[in-house]
Amino acid sequence: MDDYQGFIESVKSKTGIDLALYKEAQMKRRLTSLRDKRGFSNFSSYFQSMITSQELFDEFLERMTINVSEFYRNPKRWEVLETKILPRLLQSNKRLKIWSAACSTGEEPYTLAMILNKLVPSGNFSILATDLDKAILERAKVGIYTDRSMKDIPSDMLQKHFINDGMGYRVKDELKRLISFKHGNLLADRFDTNFDLIVCRNVMIYFTEDAKHDLYHKFSKSLRIDGVLFVGSTEQIFNPNEYGFETEDTFFYRKKM
Ligand SMILES: C[S@@+](CC[C@H](N)C(=O)[O-])C[C@H]1O[C@@H](n2cnc3c(N)ncnc32)[C@H](O)[C@@H]1O
């Protein structure tokens, strides 16, 4: 077995993270540059040190996951969610169950929370937010942001839900309370069921075709009938029927059966 394949096996048996389900060329390039930077000439010695050093392991995890996110990322799509998809879901179900899968630093679930808070002021909904990277989840829970990820937040939402304390913008506790952050691996976990909406954006592009195929099936199973999967703007599903979906709008897939 070659050095990188051996590394994939070792990481999987030690952590449950299966690097083989991520597109190889890109992943290998990212990890090789990190390994070289730390002075290891092969993956085998890098792994041996990684399992005894929390710092090396955290750094590895940070490099393999790409955490860039933004509030209202691709604003037109969020407008469709707010004006078309959610009103339709609310007609048939008064308590929506929502999941932000691969939520990164929190911009996506906080965007959901702002929109839901507007449409359902009673707070009668739930938002689960999960990510593979525990360190990133801690940042999401803290909820402090700088301008970079905030350019598309409508000004009334910014006024209402953030405090500018000089260091950056802090999400108010009322909004934080609407979200439950949890650790989770999309490529290994069993999923909860009966979701009305699953938002999974800008992570599936890193997965192999086989991994994506399995994930679409799993998402379909965990949505209730007429529930919706909302994907990223480069992540169109080409054969939604195969997974029991129909296209409700661009990048929104409604579960049929
Ligand atoms: C580019 S961010 C996307 C954030 C957000 N969904 C958005 O669209 O702005 C990708 C996130 O996927 C997470 N991720 C990568 N592999 C994952 C996996 N197997 N299970 C869960 N999350 C994963 C990373 O930790 C990272 O936070």
Side-chain angles (χ1 to χ4, degrees):
M1 196 186 307
D2 87 3
D3 185 39
Y4 184 66
Q5 293 307 321
F7 180 74
I8 289 182
E9 293 288 311
S10 308
V11 169
K12 187 174 177 193
S13 66
K14 190 81 191 163
T15 68
I17 295 169
D18 191 352
L19 293 170
L21 299 176
Y22 292 76
K23 287 178 188 156
E24 179 170 323
Q26 195 183 23
M27 184 61 79
K28 193 171 173 183
R29 191 170 55 240
R30 295 173 68 78
L31 294 178
T32 305
S33 76
L34 181 62
R35 183 202 75 184
D36 292 351
K37 194 169 133 196
R38 289 288 155 257
F40 298 94
S41 57
N42 56 51
F43 277 105
S44 157
S45 56
Y46 178 50
F47 179 76
Q48 288 313 321
S49 296
M50 205 173 90
I51 53 175
T52 54
S53 157
Q54 187 70 41
E55 199 185 326
L56 279 182
F57 180 71
D58 290 347
E59 188 185 57
F60 153 76
L61 199 59
E62 195 177 307
R63 180 60 63 98
M64 69 150 287
T65 59
I66 293 159
N67 300 123
V68 181
S69 190
E70 280 169 39
F71 290 92
Y72 290 83
R73 189 171 190 172
N74 313 112
K76 284 266 172 290
R77 299 294 94 210
W78 289 94
E79 200 180 307
V80 171
L81 181 76
E82 181 173 337
T83 57
K84 175 175 173 184
I85 309 290
L86 286 170
R88 202 256 306 148
L89 288 170
L90 282 164
Q91 267 170 18
S92 54
N93 187 354
K94 295 296 170 238
R95 184 177 169 80
L96 298 186
K97 181 171 170 180
I98 296 169
W99 178 19
S100 165
C103 66
S104 187
T105 30
E107 288 88 337
E108 181 177 281
Y110 287 127
T111 302
L112 281 166
M114 287 188 266
I115 293 173
L116 264 297
N117 176 258
K118 197 159 131 191
L119 297 181
V120 189
S122 68
N124 191 19
F125 54 82
S126 66
I127 301 174
L128 167 69
T130 62
D131 201 278
L132 178 66
D133 185 340
K134 288 184 180 156
I136 230 72
L137 280 172
E138 289 311 311
R139 279 176 52 194
K141 286 187 213 167
V142 170
I144 295 181
Y145 300 93
T146 51
D147 294 344
R148 195 197 57 73
S149 72
M150 305 188 73
K151 67 177 177 17
D152 289 319
I153 304 184
S155 55
D156 56 334
M157 294 289 105
L158 189 63
Q159 289 281 324
K160 183 164 182 197
H161 296 294
F162 292 82
I163 297 164
N164 183 355
D165 61 6
M167 302 281 285
Y169 289 84
R170 191 152 43 85
V171 176
K172 289 190 184 166
D173 288 346
E174 300 96 86
L175 203 66
K176 285 188 192 170
R177 274 198 285 273
L178 302 176
I179 303 169
S180 146
F181 287 100
K182 290 203 177 115
H183 177 248
N185 184 348
L186 289 171
L187 299 174
D189 296 350
R190 287 174 63 108
F191 297 167
D192 197 0
T193 52
N194 277 317
F195 286 105
D196 296 280
L197 173 67
I198 298 175
V199 182
C200 186
R201 309 184 73 217
N202 306 301
V203 62
M204 288 187 281
I205 33 165
Y206 304 113
F207 298 159
T208 63
E209 288 306 312
D210 284 351
K212 272 194 274 195
H213 174 79
D214 289 347
L215 195 53
Y216 295 147
H217 274 299
K218 283 172 73 183
F219 280 148
S220 181
K221 279 207 193 93
S222 59
L223 283 166
R224 69 171 181 81
I225 307 272
D226 288 330
V228 170
L229 172 65
F230 175 19
V231 302
S233 294
T234 54
E235 297 172 318
Q236 193 156 0
I237 304 179
F238 290 104
N239 44 352
N241 271 322
E242 193 183 332
Y243 310 101
F245 288 126
E246 69 183 13
T247 305
E248 182 164 6
D249 205 307
T250 320
F251 308 116
F252 292 94
Y253 300 95
R254 174 172 178 166
K255 183 183 167 168
K256 289 183 302 184
M257 52 191 173

